[in-house]
Amino acid sequence: MEAIIRSVEYDRPQGLTCGVGEAWARVPDAPSAERRRELKEQIRALLRREKAVLVAHYYVDPELQELADETGGCVADSLEMARFGRDHAAQTLVVAGVRFMGETAKILSPEKRVLMPDLDATCSLDLGCPADEFSAFCDAHPDRTVVVYANTSAAVKARADWMVTSSIGLEIVADLHARGEKILWAPDRHLGGYIQKKTGADMLLWQGSCLVHDEFKGIELDLLRAEYPDAKILVHPESPEAVVALADVVGSTTQLIDAAVRLDAKRFIVATDLGILHKMRLAAPGKTFIEAPTAGNSATCKSCAHCPWMAMNGLANLAEVLERGHNEIFVDPAIGARARLPIDRMLDFAARHKKRVQASGDLAKDGALFSNVGAA
Ligand code: 13P
Ligand code: SF4
């Protein structure tokens, strides 16, 4: 079935958030080695003083990832970050990632203090899906089940029936499709198109995209593959269809790291934010990881495989936020309570799915591992 397409502009600033150029301009300079050591010491002490836990995404600075790991926090994909923040006993969560991740943590734990190194760190998918326009879109299609990607504002989630992340979106849409439901999907057109193709579901797609993954080029990737015929290709499903079509594995960030460990290959080409390479190299020592190409025909390279908003998280602003206790995330309680419904639905589904898969012994289908091996 052909997906129905609606066109909207997506890369424009709204509200408090900052656009691509401004984000790059605000990326903190790398401090000297000596200063980095001092800042890390300070952050460890402040995390203890504030009884806080650091929840980081794989795309942020490797030194922030290491700090999260060594201080009992987590480095994870957006689904695990949400679960970890909700389940951890700490009353202060410091989210090193982008705004929707901080908002999701706050929605799931309204009683906790959620801080972020820079509150303006946003996401092109979130920017491209303003709540008022999205709400009008939903109103125009009342017969459809509304499924939104995690990379959206609290207000957009508050209009949804389900929230999904790339770890579990395919399974949830397949389940809804099996129940005969028609889907209204937002905002990532590439992930939506991929899921539509895999499940055959009737999906009406909002036309947002991730400006990092949008830059990967199928033609160039094909040329690189010819150079390294032994390499396996790992692709995040926010990438364009031509890139996904060349993948050996399509999956969330955690699923791609798992694939790098499990697959019997020595070399991998990776089409996602280059921040992930740090964890891949740690998890699979002795293997070689090559960045998928963003150059070539029609390249604009607004991001060159690195998210400008993720890059806004640094050691200095992390230390400052812990010291001063500012940059707290607030979500309107009524919006938060409504937005929690689709998130809880996803987390419950993911827990049931994991149990089912574990009971069947089919680990290759475990959403927390890599469910889409060979599924491009
Ligand atoms: P994951 O859920 O796979 O971590 O993806 C989040 C994201 O923003 C990818 O660009
Ligand atoms: Fe958003 Fe893309 Fe950045 Fe992920 S990498 S936070 S989808 S802009």
Side-chain angles (χ1 to χ4, degrees), residues 57-59 76-79 100-101 123 149 151 165-167 210 213 236 238 251-254 272 310:
H57 190 265
Y58 296 118
Y59 294 167
D77 67 18
S78 53
L79 173 63
F100 78 82
M101 296 168 174
C123 164
Y149 193 31
N151 304 36
T165 71
S166 53
S167 293
C210 161
H213 292 85
H236 195 282
E238 289 168 11
S252 73
T253 46
T254 296
T272 192
M310 290 282 184

